[in-house]
């Protein structure tokens, strides 16, 4: 097994182009989406309807700007309208007393996120107002604010569920793009197995005294190793060099990445079992990885998705759980124990795919 | 020592190998001859434990390798029909890897590598990438890999396909030496009659998955001992001529060749007169006419009605 891993590494050293380009792509896309260093926020122009008094305007603006992800700046209604109409800015928010509107120039992923977020703030506000009207206590508002500020942890997480903390562009792009490109690396590394079957070196190795499962294990370990290292190296780089925050629980990150990599290696085996040729595999990899990334929340957060069908499909994809676990670690500082569910689902997925995959491959003589 | 009994392999509905019985004795060089798709490679795959037969058995010193492939693995070298090498690595790196998976290491491994490189005459080029080799050189390394662990038997699947005559000669001479000087048992597969004639003590002829004849070269050609071959060269093809010649009672077989046609007829049948008359009737221009003793190629022709190579 070791001999086979070493051989594949030796081959990689001769032709490292593919893996290096995957690294480059990961870096490029994370930067493109997540931006360089520091917390870059999404700019949102906002203007107020006449129904909102000045005092309330300031309060609302403060509240909206509490999130790390968005930066709301007040503009003149006329300029905002004109700029949106001309397409200079993609969207603007019109804030009214108990409601809001979004002016939209083009469909934009951020616009969905902004909408979601503002909606959350307004909904909270309305709920408090409703209760306020009911209790008839002039100090109620202050009490709630105080309570929210110092209250039990459970309450803080109410706001973060769909709002402020739940979305972080940097983490989203780092985790999403890294996992996405690692799928290519892993499955193409595994593709060496299919390539060897075609060139005949596979048969040669099988004819040697080395047992078949050792040969499989060699290929699987190689693909696992390459994928695992790629993800970790990217994470470490962004965490330490570019100040992206992947959380402080590094062991949990490692375990999550290992589970994810395993599930993708297994998925690769299943794909190898299903395709008839290396060409088919090469054609299938982008299709599978792109659609998985789209449906599983690697391109945009699942919080921005409301389509029930997509949500249902996402529950079947390992990348959904990989993203979920990594965000839980980085944003909510969760430990391994509370990640038991996503991690075990990824492992289960892996075991299933691996079993079916190897069976299909072996049946093909 | 290596023997197949009633070997059969079917892919889906297609029968690739059908009821094949053959054996190799120690020190023999045996040829397996047959046209494309005859089932040679499939037979070899089963004999080397790579694929499981649908029916029948393969035994190594009496032990079934279908049940336990490990009994033969260390003693067998296989040269596959395709060039099964890591082309982005050097010859030396390839040899080193394949040596290692056969359990060789350290000094012994390096000695073996040097030895086989010497044998295939590529010592000087050992640090070149295989993909930069010529076809003939790749073929030679392909063979070298199978010799590393000093197997008792070597099975070669068309090791000279698609290479220049010089490399081909080199390889044939090498196989002959392995067989004669080292006493290695050889199963040599080919669709080149001359190669098999030159190298092999015994020959099996295979067609459509079956062994249709076997024996020494003398035994096989004696199948046609009472026949002779008339080789006619024509200035261009005359399709009607074939039909007409087949109508001559004594003619056993007529086959169109690249340049004309070939007739198998009983010895001393004095048919030339009739042949000339038929040709004349069709205004066919004969360039040359030869009467020959039958070759193995003719035996194949006689048995199947087809040429060995299309
Ligand atoms: N894996 C397979 N699946 C289906 N059919 C196969 C397979 N391998 C071989 N065959 C078929 O079995 C028959 C025998 O093939 P085989 O490769 O053994 O012939 P061969 O004598 O080695 O021919 P060649 O001289 O072209 O190498 C062919 O008709 C081929 O199409
Ligand atoms: Mg063949």
């Amino acid at each position: 097994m070791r001999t086979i891993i070493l051989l594949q590494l030796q081959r990689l050293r001769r032709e490292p182009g593919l893996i290096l380009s995957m690294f480059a792509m990961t870096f490029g896309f994370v930067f493109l989406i997540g931006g360089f260093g520091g917390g870059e926020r999404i700019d949102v122009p906002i203007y107020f309807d006449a129904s909102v008094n000045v005092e309330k305007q300031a309060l609302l603006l403060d509240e909206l700007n509490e999130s790390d992800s968005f930066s709301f700046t007040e503009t003149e209604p006329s300029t905002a309208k004109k700029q949106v109409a001309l397409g200079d800015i993609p969207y603007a928010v019109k804030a009214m007393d108990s409601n809001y509107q979004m002016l939209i120039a083009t469909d934009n992923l951020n616009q969905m996120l902004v909408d979601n977020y503002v909606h959350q703030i307004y909904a909270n506000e309305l709920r408090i107002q409703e209760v306020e009207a009911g209790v008839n206590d002039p100090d109620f508002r202050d009490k709630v604010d105080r309570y929210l500020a110092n209250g039990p942890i459970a309450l803080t997480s109410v706001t973060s569920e769909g709002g402020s903390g739940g979305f972080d562009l940097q983490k989203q792009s780092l985790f999403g793009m890294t996992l996405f490109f690692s799928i290519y690396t892993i499955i193409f590394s595994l593709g060496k197995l299919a390539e060897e079957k075609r060139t005949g070196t596979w048969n040669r190795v099988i004819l040697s005294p080395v047992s078949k499962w050792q040969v499989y294990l060699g290929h699987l370990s190689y693909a696992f190793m390459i994928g695992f290292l790629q993800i970790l190296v990217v994470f470490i780089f962004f965490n330490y060099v570019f100040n992206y925050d992947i959380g402080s629980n590094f062991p949990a990150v490692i375990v999550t990445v290992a589970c994810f990599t395993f599930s993708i290696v297994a998925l690769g085996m299943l794909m190898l079992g299903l395709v008839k040729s290396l060409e088919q595999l090469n054609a299938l990899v982008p299709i599978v990885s792109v659609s998985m990334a789209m449906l599983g929340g690697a391109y945009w957060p699942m919080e921005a998705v409301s389509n029930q069908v997509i949500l249902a499909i996402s529950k079947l994809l390992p990348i959904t759980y990989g993203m979920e676990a990594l965000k839980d670690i980085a944003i909510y500082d969760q430990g391994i124990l509370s990640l038991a569910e996503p991690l075990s689902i990824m492992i289960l997925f892996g075991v299933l795919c691996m079993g079916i995959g190897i069976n299909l491959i072996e049946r093909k003589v | 020592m290596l023997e197949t009994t009633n070997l059969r392999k079917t892919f889906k509905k297609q029968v690739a190998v059908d009821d094949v019985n053959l054996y190799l004795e120690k020190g023999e060089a045996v040829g397996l001859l047959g046209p494309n798709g005859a089932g040679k490679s499939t037979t070899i795959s089963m004999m080397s434990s790579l694929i499981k037969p649908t029916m029948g058995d393969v035994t190594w010193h009496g032990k079934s390798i279908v049940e336990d492939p490990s009994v033969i693995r260390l003693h067998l070298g296989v040269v596959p029909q395709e060039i099964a090498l890591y082309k982005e690595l050097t010859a030396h790196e390839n040899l080193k890897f394949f040596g290692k998976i056969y359990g060789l290491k350290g000094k012994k491994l390096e000695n073996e590598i040097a030895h086989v490189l010497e044998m295939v005459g590529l010592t000087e080029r050992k640090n070149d990438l295989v993909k930069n080799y010529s076809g003939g050189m790749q073929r030679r390394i392909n063979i070298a890999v199978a010799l590393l662990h000093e197997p008792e038997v070597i099975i070669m699947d068309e090791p000279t396909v698609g290479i220049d005559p010089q490399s081909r000669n080199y390889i044939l001479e090498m196989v002959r030496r392995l067989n004669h000087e080292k006493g290695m048992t050889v199963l040599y597969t080919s669709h080149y009659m001359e190669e098999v004639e030159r190298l092999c003590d015994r020959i099996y002829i295979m067609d459509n998955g079956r062994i249709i004849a076997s024996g020494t070269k003398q035994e096989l050609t004696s199948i046609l001992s009472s026949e002779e071959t008339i080789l006619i060269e024509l200035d261009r093809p005359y399709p009607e001529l074939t039909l007409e010649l087949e109508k001559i009672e004594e003619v056993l077989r007529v086959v169109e060749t690249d340049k004309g046609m070939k007739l198998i007829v009983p010895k001393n049948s004095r048919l030339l007169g009739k042949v000339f008359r038929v040709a004349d009737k069709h205004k066919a221009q004969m360039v040359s006419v030869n009467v020959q003793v039958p070759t193995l190629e003719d035996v194949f022709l006689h048995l199947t009605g087809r040429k060995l190579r299309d």
Side-chain angles (χ1 to χ4, degrees):
Chain A
M1 180 183 123
R2 220 191 80 215
T3 317
I4 289 166
I5 299 176
L6 288 177
L7 171 84
Q8 299 302 339
L9 287 174
Q10 197 175 25
R11 299 178 69 193
L12 176 66
R13 218 184 57 215
R14 285 286 150 72
E15 287 178 352
L18 189 82
I19 305 287
L20 290 184
S21 65
M22 286 304 144
F23 262 102
M25 301 269 264
T26 312
F27 275 82
F29 274 86
V30 174
F31 280 138
L32 198 69
I33 301 172
F36 286 88
E40 201 157 289
R41 300 160 131 205
I42 302 176
D43 276 320
V44 189
I46 187 170
Y47 65 91
F48 295 95
D49 188 64
S51 61
V52 194
N53 60 39
V54 181
E55 190 186 335
K56 179 124 190 239
Q57 281 183 14
L59 269 175
L60 201 55
L61 206 56
D62 269 355
E63 199 165 343
L64 285 168
N65 273 327
E66 238 160 52
S67 156
D68 292 334
S69 321
F70 305 98
S71 148
F72 289 84
T73 41
E74 198 182 341
T75 36
E76 284 299 311
S78 53
T79 16
K81 280 181 199 158
K82 205 166 95 190
Q83 281 183 319
V84 171
L86 291 173
D88 291 344
I89 54 173
Y91 44 75
V93 175
K94 175 184 179 185
M96 296 170 285
D97 190 34
S98 58
N99 207 346
Y100 71 97
Q101 276 182 348
M102 293 218 35
L103 299 171
I104 299 160
T106 48
D107 267 331
N108 179 301
L109 171 62
N110 289 348
Q111 159 236 318
M112 257 193 303
L113 300 169
V114 173
D115 194 1
N116 239 340
Y117 174 64
V118 179
H119 180 86
Q120 192 77 27
I121 299 282
Y122 266 87
N124 275 347
E125 181 63 26
L126 281 181
R127 234 173 292 157
I128 295 172
Q129 277 178 15
E130 227 167 86
V131 182
E132 201 176 6
V135 290
N136 201 7
D137 175 351
D139 288 337
F140 177 77
R141 186 65 201 219
D142 285 342
K143 283 183 188 161
V144 172
D145 281 348
R146 235 177 295 131
Y147 188 62
L148 278 181
N150 312 316
I153 295 160
L155 254 179
T156 351
S157 72
V158 168
T159 39
S160 40
E161 241 172 32
S164 59
F167 178 69
D168 180 315
L169 194 60
Q170 276 197 344
K171 294 188 180 81
Q172 169 69 30
S173 68
L174 175 62
F175 296 151
M177 288 302 124
T178 310
L179 295 194
F180 170 62
F181 284 110
S182 76
I183 299 176
Y184 282 81
T185 303
I186 294 168
I187 301 184
F188 282 135
S189 301
L190 212 51
K192 292 280 170 209
L193 194 154
E195 188 192 304
E196 291 214 13
K197 286 212 162 182
R198 182 160 73 180
T199 57
T201 48
W202 174 267
N203 283 349
R204 271 216 146 123
V205 176
I206 293 297
L207 276 181
S208 78
V210 178
S211 75
K212 202 178 239 181
W213 69 267
Q214 288 235 351
V215 183
Y216 273 116
L217 214 57
H219 279 274
L220 293 173
S221 318
Y222 166 74
F224 179 88
M225 218 166 73
I226 298 290
F228 183 71
L229 287 179
Q230 171 170 332
I231 300 177
L232 280 193
V233 166
V234 172
F235 282 178
I236 289 171
F237 235 89
F238 275 91
N239 191 51
Y240 292 111
V241 182
F242 302 110
N243 287 323
Y244 277 52
D245 177 25
I246 63 166
S248 51
N249 194 343
F250 217 70
V253 173
I254 291 181
V255 173
T256 305
V257 172
C259 290
F260 174 76
T261 311
F262 169 69
S263 72
I264 299 300
V265 169
L267 177 70
M269 286 303 271
L270 179 63
M271 285 164 64
L272 276 180
L274 291 174
V275 297
K276 290 211 172 61
S277 68
L278 201 54
E279 287 73 27
Q280 279 187 4
L281 181 75
N282 291 345
L284 194 62
V285 172
I287 299 175
V288 169
S289 55
V290 170
S291 47
M292 264 209 327
M294 284 206 259
L295 298 171
Y299 285 172
W300 47 71
M302 288 318 287
E303 288 86 352
V305 175
S306 55
N307 184 319
Q308 288 304 316
V309 180
I310 295 182
L311 286 174
I313 296 175
S314 75
K315 293 274 182 288
L316 300 174
L317 304 174
I319 198 166
T320 313
Y321 300 99
M323 290 297 290
E324 185 186 314
L326 286 173
K327 285 198 216 166
D328 280 352
I329 297 167
I331 299 173
Y332 307 121
D333 206 22
Q334 301 274 25
I336 292 182
L337 286 181
S338 49
L339 299 173
E341 191 188 316
L343 297 186
S344 50
I345 292 176
M346 284 192 282
I347 292 174
L348 184 70
F349 178 92
V351 170
L352 268 178
C353 287
M354 189 74 79
I356 301 172
I358 292 188
N359 252 305
L360 286 176
I361 295 174
E362 275 300 292
R363 209 174 296 172
K364 283 198 270 190
V365 181
Chain B
M1 58 184 184
L2 184 58
E3 188 170 0
T4 76
T5 40
N6 307 329
L7 207 55
R8 183 187 173 91
K9 181 76 192 179
T10 50
F11 294 109
K12 303 256 164 60
K13 287 220 176 74
Q14 194 199 1
V15 182
V17 171
D18 195 4
D19 210 18
V20 164
N21 293 286
L22 52 81
Y23 66 91
L24 300 178
E25 293 298 348
K26 188 157 181 52
E28 267 190 317
V30 174
L32 183 57
L33 196 65
N36 290 128
K40 305 183 296 293
S41 297
T42 310
T43 305
I44 285 179
S45 293
M46 289 189 283
M47 289 177 79
S48 58
S49 79
L50 205 52
I51 60 175
K52 291 222 181 301
T54 315
M55 247 165 56
D57 201 0
V58 181
T59 53
W60 168 253
H61 291 297
K63 290 198 205 88
S64 168
I65 66 162
V66 178
E67 281 161 26
D68 181 11
S70 66
V71 298
I72 197 173
R73 298 232 153 130
L74 266 174
H75 310 288
L76 176 71
V78 178
V79 180
Q81 188 170 353
E82 64 279 359
I83 294 179
L85 299 169
Y86 300 104
K87 297 205 172 148
E88 69 276 30
L89 300 182
T90 65
H92 187 266
E93 286 165 340
N94 268 284
L95 289 166
K96 198 161 177 176
F97 168 71
F98 286 112
K100 274 196 208 155
I101 60 173
Y102 274 92
L104 298 172
K105 47 180 171 276
K107 206 158 169 59
K108 175 124 176 55
L109 176 59
E110 285 306 328
N111 286 342
E112 284 299 333
I113 292 176
H115 180 66
V116 295
L117 278 170
E118 189 66 44
M119 224 180 325
V120 298
L122 287 171
T123 307
E124 267 107 76
R125 304 287 307 267
K126 67 176 181 186
N127 289 324
D128 290 4
L129 301 184
V130 172
K131 66 178 171 198
N132 297 336
Y133 276 8
S134 73
M137 282 154 64
Q138 293 185 351
R139 285 270 162 209
R140 283 192 259 163
I141 292 294
N142 205 31
I143 297 173
V145 167
L147 296 172
L148 266 178
H149 59 289
E150 300 189 304
E152 288 172 53
V153 190
I154 185 158
I155 299 183
M156 308 177 103
D157 196 350
E158 305 194 24
T160 59
V161 144
I163 59 174
D164 58 290
Q166 207 182 336
S167 288
R168 190 167 153 205
N169 238 324
Y170 193 101
I171 290 175
L172 289 176
E173 190 47 38
M174 193 178 90
V175 176
R176 204 194 56 77
R177 274 211 317 272
L178 280 172
N179 179 237
H180 282 223
E181 291 165 20
K182 305 225 164 146
M184 198 179 278
T185 313
V186 178
L187 178 61
Y188 191 96
T189 302
S190 178
H191 54 230
Y192 292 107
M193 196 66 71
E194 357 25 303
E195 293 185 351
V196 172
E197 275 182 34
R198 177 167 154 191
L199 287 174
C200 301
D201 312 317
R202 277 191 308 121
I203 298 159
Y204 291 93
I205 299 183
M206 202 171 178
D207 188 38
N208 278 326
R210 293 180 158 273
I211 304 264
I212 52 172
S214 65
T216 61
K217 189 190 159 196
Q218 285 70 29
E219 284 167 348
L220 286 173
T221 40
S222 72
I223 294 176
L224 288 182
S225 59
S226 52
E227 282 88 9
E228 60 191 12
T229 315
I230 304 176
L231 205 60
I232 306 169
E233 204 178 319
L234 298 160
D235 64 335
R236 63 174 176 85
Y238 297 88
E240 339 77 70
L241 201 58
T242 313
L243 293 172
E244 200 73 17
L245 286 171
E246 270 172 350
K247 283 190 196 138
I248 302 177
E249 210 173 305
E250 296 92 329
V251 172
L252 299 170
R253 284 214 184 262
V254 184
V255 181
E256 291 177 21
T257 60
D258 301 338
K259 290 180 177 159
M261 47 191 50
K262 190 185 247 187
L263 280 65
I264 295 178
V265 300
K267 229 173 202 165
N268 305 321
S269 54
R270 298 169 201 283
L271 277 173
L272 280 180
K274 285 185 187 170
V275 171
F276 281 126
R277 245 168 282 142
V278 172
D280 206 35
K281 198 172 110 197
H282 288 271
K283 306 244 177 331
Q285 190 74 43
M286 288 197 218
V287 179
S288 72
V289 177
N290 266 309
V291 181
Q292 295 178 339
V293 189
T295 62
L296 273 181
E297 184 104 30
D298 300 326
V299 173
F300 185 81
L301 196 78
H302 173 73
L303 292 171
T304 65
R306 284 184 290 117
K307 281 183 297 165
L308 205 48
R309 268 167 284 146
D310 299 310

